[in-house]
Amino acid sequence: MATEIRTSELKDPIDLAEYLFRRLHELGIRSVAGVPGDYNLVALDYLKPNGLSWVGNCNELNAGETASMHGAPTTIRRADILQGYAADGYARIKGISAIITTFGVGELSAINAIAGAFSEYVSVVHIVGMPSTLSQRDGLLLHHTLGNGNFNVFANMSQEISCAMAKLNDPHEAPALIDYALTKCWIESRPVYITLPTDMVQKKVEGARLQTKLDLRDPANDPAKEDYVVDVVLKYLHAAKRPVILVDACAIRHRVLDEVHALVEKSKLPTFVAPMGKGAVNESLANYGGVYAGDGSNAGVKEVVESADLVLSIGAIKSDFNTAGFTYRVSQLSTIDFHSNYVTVRFSEYPGVRMKGVLRKVIERMDLSKISVTPSPQPRNAIEPGEQDISHDQIITHAWLWPRIGQWLQAKDIVITETGTANFGIWETRFPPHVTALSQVLWGSIGYAVGATQGAALAAQEMGEPRRTILFVGDGSLQLTVQEISTMLRHGLKPIIFVICNDGYTIERYIHGMDESYNDIQTWRHTELFSVFGAAPHSSKTYQVRTKKEANELFRNADFSAAHQIQLVELYMPKEDAPKALKETAEASAKTNAKDS
């Protein structure tokens, strides 16, 4: 049971919820995702006074809750997972996000999205409204429980997908626990789990702590160890005849892009990205060579990377889909791996030596006269000769679409691709400068991209930057999370949504069951979605494109490209068509699934 702190003991007594939300505001969070529930309602009253906006969701589709005099609410909470996806997208733009759910039903609905954030190194603060500490102590048979008096079971589930947990059951300890969890969330780039019981929301805590800002700096490397590793790296770099740079997702998540950009621009070395690293490098640079993913690489890339005698690999995640089915063939003997908490040079690992400090000193100390720069491929968004015919009856193919998308994109666009054809197709798109790419290649939860689009668009709107938010989602994936379009309308967001209409789950078809009914879906009339979700007249636009000619005309439409309002495009493509990289990865995945023990 929660104890009281006498107000006379406190220099600046404030309510616990105020303390928590002021810390979120300090981190740059301005909007909080989630779904209201009876265990978090009082806490939600503290959001607005502390400079935070409530995002929420549409209750008729996502969360309907009723209660009688005797309790026993019945709840459907699809919204929590959508808001989890939105929090993930928001964090990938602003660096960190927060979501508030209710005990049991709400937090379990969000747990898939939180697991994805943990898997892909995304900083999400998950706050769970809990029953009172008294109810927990007495093991009351409350709604949203398993009926066994165990109030820790759901927290135990989240423990494996959180880098820190803060159970705010004591006002003496709560501020320190909050500060610790939020600092870990930022530094480790992974979710944290914070419980807020109903009787703790208004408990007085020491507000004077807020005068000291959270220390969000990465722990410093031991200077002697760091200098030793830098010397080792420089020895191999200066001796290499064909060195290359390969950048991946953890360079983004662990905030070393300034160092990456400086290394790429100063060294002039051929530079490539893994699929999860799309957007990490300025792809308009002359030494940018494209996407490396083993057999799924861009044209000419595989040969250059795999023949390199030194690969400076920054933030690698060598998962199946990120390597086109483990077809990544770079020898560890020719690799230096830079990570958030260690560096590996060939087979020698240096634990506790963080890449940020090492990269900075490598950039400062490298001798350009000793750097061997070799030619690299030059991806140019060129459409293959056999795909260039755009007469009125030419169907849209992936081989044509993704280079054409690259020609249409603008600097600073935010591009979100759904698990499936879009995730693989975007590998063939060379971005203009400063494009941010969002995808979920490792966790791969279909439907993710729609919620992430809402979060990303909201984050960009808050930052006051004139950036387009562009979503590519399959018709099958859209059906899992389509109601998030309603939230976009509610908050005046203006993404461009391309719905790839190819009659179901094409990625699954290539893994197994090309013509099986379990990969089929019910066809929707997507152009009617805005009106179904209550869009105001003239506040949105929809389009249907079935041929290359129609798509080309749309891309040339200045009003469409200006993105002054939310827009949806039905983009029709053949069911059996897919990007080359998807076909190869799916084949490798099917072989992996079929292997005997």
Side-chain angles (χ1 to χ4, degrees):
M1 186 171 66
T3 58
E4 297 281 356
I5 301 178
R6 287 191 302 174
T7 304
S8 59
E9 298 177 17
L10 302 172
K11 296 178 182 178
D12 180 18
I14 64 172
D15 292 355
L16 175 56
E18 179 183 350
Y19 185 95
L20 173 59
F21 293 154
R22 284 176 64 179
R23 281 301 198 202
L24 296 184
H25 191 276
E26 178 186 325
L27 293 173
I29 295 170
R30 295 295 180 267
S31 297
V32 177
V35 176
D38 55 342
Y39 296 132
N40 65 29
L41 291 173
V42 176
L44 299 185
D45 292 337
Y46 286 77
L47 289 171
K48 188 175 181 180
N50 290 290
L52 301 175
S53 299
W54 176 247
V55 179
N57 227 135
C58 40
N59 59 8
E60 70 274 12
L61 288 175
N62 304 311
E65 180 168 331
T66 59
S68 69
M69 183 183 299
H70 301 290
T74 57
T75 313
I76 301 172
R77 309 194 68 90
R78 179 67 184 170
D80 292 287
I81 191 170
L82 300 185
Q83 288 302 311
Y85 292 153
D88 183 300
Y90 183 101
R92 295 191 194 214
I93 299 301
K94 295 198 76 174
I96 193 168
S97 66
I99 177 174
I100 299 178
T101 62
T102 200
F103 172 74
V105 294
E107 60 179 308
L108 291 188
S109 292
I111 202 169
N112 175 24
I114 299 300
F118 185 89
S119 171
E120 303 221 351
Y121 293 91
V122 181
S123 299
V124 178
V125 181
H126 185 193
I127 301 165
V128 180
M130 296 281 290
S132 71
T133 56
L134 179 62
S135 297
Q136 294 182 56
R137 185 198 68 181
D138 293 342
L140 296 186
L141 192 63
L142 297 180
H143 59 280
H144 300 339
T145 71
L146 298 179
N148 59 4
N150 185 348
F151 288 87
N152 292 314
V153 61
F154 308 127
N156 291 341
M157 294 178 186
S158 288
Q159 187 167 10
E160 296 297 320
I161 53 171
S162 306
C163 69
M165 303 189 76
K167 296 183 178 181
L168 308 183
N169 296 327
D170 185 334
H172 293 84
E173 301 173 348
L177 292 174
I178 290 170
D179 292 355
Y180 173 78
L182 297 183
T183 302
K184 292 281 282 186
C185 184
W186 180 267
I187 291 175
E188 295 195 14
S189 294
R190 275 183 155 160
V192 294
Y193 179 92
I194 299 175
T195 65
L196 183 59
T198 56
D199 60 333
M200 285 291 295
V201 172
Q202 297 174 313
K203 294 294 185 187
K204 297 298 181 184
V205 299
E206 183 55 82
R209 289 179 61 102
L210 294 170
Q211 297 174 15
T212 303
K213 300 301 182 185
L214 297 175
D215 185 357
L216 303 177
R217 294 172 298 176
D218 286 334
N221 291 330
D222 177 277
K225 290 182 179 179
E226 182 176 271
D227 284 340
Y228 178 79
V229 172
V230 170
D231 288 343
V232 173
V233 171
L234 288 174
K235 181 184 75 171
Y236 285 105
L237 177 57
H238 290 154
K241 301 301 181 185
R242 299 181 306 281
V244 301
I245 299 170
L246 178 60
V247 186
D248 207 344
C250 283
I252 304 170
R253 308 292 193 269
H254 293 290
R255 307 176 181 92
V256 296
L257 291 188
D258 287 345
E259 290 77 13
V260 167
H261 295 159
L263 177 64
V264 170
E265 293 182 20
K266 183 177 180 180
S267 71
K268 308 297 184 185
L269 289 174
T271 299
F272 307 89
V273 296
M276 290 179 69
K278 278 286 286 181
V281 172
N282 180 354
E283 298 186 9
S284 67
L285 293 175
N287 54 323
Y288 172 74
V291 174
Y292 174 70
D295 292 346
S297 302
N298 293 161
V301 170
K302 180 173 182 285
E303 295 76 11
V304 173
V305 173
E306 294 180 3
S307 65
D309 59 355
L310 181 66
V311 177
L312 301 179
S313 174
I314 306 174
I317 298 178
K318 299 174 185 177
S319 68
D320 52 355
F321 280 15
N322 204 34
T323 60
F326 300 117
T327 58
Y328 184 109
R329 297 185 186 91
V330 175
S331 171
Q332 190 60 44
L333 278 172
S334 60
T335 301
I336 299 177
D337 282 306
F338 299 88
H339 289 282
S340 61
N341 56 356
Y342 70 94
V343 173
T344 300
V345 181
R346 305 177 83 177
F347 287 105
S348 298
E349 184 172 319
Y350 302 93
V353 180
R354 294 172 173 266
M355 61 179 166
K356 183 180 281 287
V358 173
L359 287 170
R360 285 176 177 172
K361 288 185 177 178
V362 167
I363 295 162
E364 291 169 2
R365 299 177 186 178
M366 65 182 177
D367 184 343
L368 295 181
S369 69
K370 297 180 180 178
I371 303 294
S372 175
V373 178
T374 55
S376 65
Q378 294 291 312
R380 299 188 184 280
N381 290 319
I383 296 171
E384 298 173 3
E387 295 288 341
Q388 291 178 0
D389 183 1
I390 58 169
S391 57
H392 69 279
D393 60 346
Q394 291 295 309
I395 60 173
I396 301 167
T397 62
H398 286 281
W400 178 86
L401 175 66
W402 298 107
R404 184 64 183 88
I405 291 294
Q407 298 169 13
W408 172 73
L409 290 176
Q410 301 174 7
K412 296 186 177 182
D413 280 345
I414 299 170
V415 179
I416 303 99
T417 51
E418 179 58 75
T419 298
T421 55
N423 251 5
F424 292 88
I426 203 70
W427 301 5
E428 300 297 331
T429 299
R430 183 172 186 170
F431 291 157
H434 312 302
V435 168
T436 300
L438 275 65
S439 63
Q440 204 186 49
V441 174
L442 177 55
W443 186 244
S445 181
I446 61 172
Y448 158 82
V450 184
T453 297
Q454 181 259 297
L458 181 62
Q461 182 186 76
E462 288 179 0
M463 296 170 75
E465 299 181 0
R467 305 182 68 181
R468 301 189 304 181
T469 304
I470 302 162
L471 167 64
F472 295 94
V473 61
D475 50 4
S477 294
L478 179 68
Q479 295 192 4
L480 275 77
T481 49
V482 66
Q483 58 267 55
E484 203 60 16
I485 291 175
S486 179
T487 309
M488 298 174 195
L489 292 167
R490 180 183 176 189
H491 292 278
L493 305 178
K494 301 171 182 177
I496 299 174
I497 302 169
F498 288 91
V499 182
I500 299 172
C501 299
N502 55 6
D503 296 323
Y505 302 115
T506 295
I507 185 170
E508 311 292 4
R509 296 187 195 280
Y510 272 95
I511 294 174
H512 184 79
M514 176 60 75
D515 297 310
E516 297 298 334
S517 61
Y518 47 70
N519 287 324
D520 296 336
I521 59 168
Q522 171 65 30
T523 301
W524 285 8
R525 294 192 292 272
H526 303 99
T527 56
E528 298 179 22
L529 286 174
F530 290 148
S531 61
V532 167
F533 289 131
H538 313 298
S539 66
S540 62
K541 279 190 176 181
T542 62
Y543 306 84
Q544 282 187 336
V545 292
R546 296 177 181 273
T547 66
K548 293 177 184 176
K549 185 174 186 295
E550 291 173 347
N552 211 42
E553 290 172 352
L554 183 66
F555 291 135
R556 291 176 175 174
N557 183 323
D559 183 61
F560 168 73
S561 297
H564 293 308
Q565 57 199 330
I566 189 170
Q567 300 176 99
L568 183 147
V569 180
E570 280 190 340
L571 190 71
Y572 286 86
M573 306 185 76
K575 180 175 69 173
E576 299 83 3
D577 188 35
K580 172 179 172 287
L582 184 151
K583 295 176 183 178
E584 292 172 344
T585 305
E587 182 180 359
S589 180
K591 290 178 180 177
T592 299
N593 293 343
K595 284 182 179 178
D596 293 331
S597 58

